Coordinates of all heavy atoms in Angstrom, one line a residue:
H6 N -5.3 51.3 33.8 CA -6.5 50.6 33.2 C -6.1 49.7 32.1 O -6.6 48.6 31.9 CB -7.5 51.7 32.8 CG -8.7 51.1 32.1 ND1 -9.7 50.5 32.9 CD2 -9.1 51.1 30.8 CE1 -10.6 50.1 32.0 NE2 -10.3 50.4 30.8
L11 N -5.0 44.2 29.8 CA -4.1 43.2 29.2 C -3.9 42.0 30.0 O -3.9 40.9 29.5 CB -2.8 43.9 28.9 CG -2.7 45.0 27.8 CD1 -1.4 45.6 27.7 CD2 -3.1 44.3 26.4
T30 N -4.5 17.5 13.4 CA -4.3 16.6 12.3 C -5.4 16.7 11.3 O -5.2 16.7 10.1 CB -4.2 15.1 12.8 OG1 -3.2 15.0 13.8 CG2 -4.0 14.1 11.7
S73 N -2.1 9.3 8.1 CA -1.1 10.3 8.7 C 0.1 10.5 7.8 O 1.1 11.1 8.2 CB -0.7 9.8 10.1 OG -0.1 8.5 10.0
L85 N -8.7 5.5 -8.1 CA -9.3 6.2 -9.2 C -8.8 5.5 -10.5 O -9.6 5.2 -11.4 CB -8.9 7.6 -9.3 CG -9.3 8.4 -10.5 CD1 -10.8 8.4 -10.6 CD2 -8.8 9.8 -10.5
F101 N -9.7 -2.1 2.5 CA -8.6 -1.2 3.0 C -8.2 -1.6 4.4 O -9.0 -1.7 5.3 CB -9.1 0.2 3.0 CG -9.5 0.7 1.6 CD1 -10.8 1.2 1.4 CD2 -8.5 0.7 0.6 CE1 -11.1 1.7 0.1 CE2 -8.9 1.2 -0.6 CZ -10.1 1.7 -0.9
H105 N -6.9 1.6 13.4 CA -8.3 1.8 13.8 C -8.6 3.2 14.2 O -9.7 3.8 14.0 CB -8.7 0.9 15.0 CG -10.1 0.9 15.3 ND1 -10.7 1.7 16.3 CD2 -11.2 0.2 14.8 CE1 -12.0 1.5 16.4 NE2 -12.3 0.6 15.5
S140 N 15.2 -2.6 11.4 CA 15.4 -1.4 10.6 C 16.0 -1.8 9.2 O 16.7 -2.7 9.1 CB 16.4 -0.5 11.3 OG 17.7 -1.2 11.6
L157 N -3.3 -10.4 5.4 CA -4.5 -10.3 4.6 C -5.5 -11.5 4.9 O -6.7 -11.4 5.1 CB -4.2 -10.2 3.2 CG -3.7 -8.9 2.6 CD1 -3.2 -9.0 1.2 CD2 -4.8 -7.8 2.7
Y170 N -3.5 -7.7 -4.3 CA -2.9 -6.7 -3.4 C -2.2 -5.6 -4.3 O -1.4 -6.0 -5.2 CB -1.9 -7.3 -2.5 CG -1.2 -6.2 -1.7 CD1 -1.8 -5.7 -0.6 CD2 0.0 -5.8 -2.0 CE1 -1.2 -4.6 0.2 CE2 0.6 -4.7 -1.3 CZ 0.0 -4.2 -0.2 OH 0.6 -3.2 0.5
V181 N -8.5 -4.2 -14.7 CA -8.0 -5.0 -13.7 C -8.6 -6.4 -13.7 O -8.0 -7.4 -13.2 CB -8.2 -4.4 -12.3 CG1 -9.7 -4.5 -11.9 CG2 -7.3 -4.9 -11.3
G195 N 0.7 -15.2 -7.4 CA 1.1 -14.8 -8.7 C 1.6 -13.4 -8.8 O 1.0 -12.5 -8.2
Y207 N 19.9 -9.5 -2.5 CA 18.8 -9.2 -1.6 C 19.0 -9.8 -0.2 O 18.2 -9.6 0.7 CB 17.5 -9.8 -2.1 CG 17.1 -9.1 -3.4 CD1 17.3 -9.7 -4.7 CD2 16.5 -7.8 -3.4 CE1 17.0 -9.0 -5.8 CE2 16.1 -7.2 -4.6 CZ 16.4 -7.8 -5.8 OH 16.1 -7.1 -6.9
W213 N 24.1 -16.0 3.2 CA 24.7 -17.0 2.2 C 25.8 -17.8 2.8 O 26.0 -19.0 2.3 CB 25.2 -16.2 1.0 CG 24.1 -15.5 0.2 CD1 23.9 -14.2 0.1 CD2 23.1 -16.2 -0.5 NE1 22.8 -14.0 -0.7 CE2 22.2 -15.2 -1.1 CE3 22.7 -17.5 -0.7 CZ2 21.1 -15.5 -1.9 CZ3 21.6 -17.8 -1.5 CH2 20.8 -16.8 -2.1
F222 N 16.4 -22.5 -0.4 CA 16.1 -22.4 -1.9 C 16.4 -23.7 -2.6 O 16.4 -23.7 -3.8 CB 16.9 -21.3 -2.5 CG 16.5 -19.9 -2.0 CD1 17.4 -19.1 -1.3 CD2 15.2 -19.4 -2.2 CE1 17.0 -17.8 -0.9 CE2 14.8 -18.2 -1.8 CZ 15.7 -17.4 -1.1
P227 N 15.0 -19.6 -7.6 CA 14.3 -18.3 -7.1 C 14.6 -17.2 -8.1 O 15.7 -17.0 -8.6 CB 15.1 -18.1 -5.8 CG 16.4 -18.8 -6.0 CD 16.2 -19.9 -6.9
P270 N 12.2 -9.2 1.5 CA 13.0 -10.5 1.6 C 12.2 -11.6 2.2 O 12.4 -12.8 1.8 CB 14.2 -10.1 2.5 CG 14.4 -8.6 2.2 CD 13.0 -8.1 2.1
V283 N 3.3 -13.8 -13.9 CA 2.4 -12.9 -14.5 C 3.1 -12.0 -15.5 O 4.3 -11.7 -15.3 CB 1.7 -12.0 -13.4 CG1 0.8 -11.0 -14.0 CG2 0.9 -12.9 -12.4
G316 N 10.5 2.5 -4.9 CA 11.7 3.2 -4.7 C 11.4 4.5 -4.0 O 10.3 4.8 -3.5
K319 N 8.6 9.5 -5.1 CA 7.2 9.4 -5.3 C 6.7 10.6 -6.2 O 7.1 11.7 -6.0 CB 6.5 9.4 -4.0 CG 6.9 8.3 -3.0 CD 6.8 6.9 -3.7 CE 7.4 5.9 -2.8 NZ 7.5 4.6 -3.4
L332 N 8.1 10.6 -16.4 CA 7.0 9.7 -16.2 C 6.0 10.1 -15.2 O 4.9 9.6 -15.1 CB 7.5 8.3 -15.9 CG 8.3 7.6 -17.1 CD1 8.8 6.2 -16.6 CD2 7.4 7.4 -18.3
S334 N 4.3 12.6 -15.1 CA 3.2 13.2 -15.8 C 2.1 12.2 -16.1 O 0.9 12.6 -16.3 CB 3.6 13.9 -17.1 OG 4.2 12.9 -18.0

Side-chain angles (χ1 to χ4, degrees):
H6 178 74
L11 289 173
T30 302
S73 60
L85 175 61
F101 295 124
H105 190 267
S140 60
L157 285 169
Y170 174 81
V181 76
Y207 295 99
W213 293 114
F222 294 119
V283 175
K319 303 305 175 189
L332 291 176
S334 63

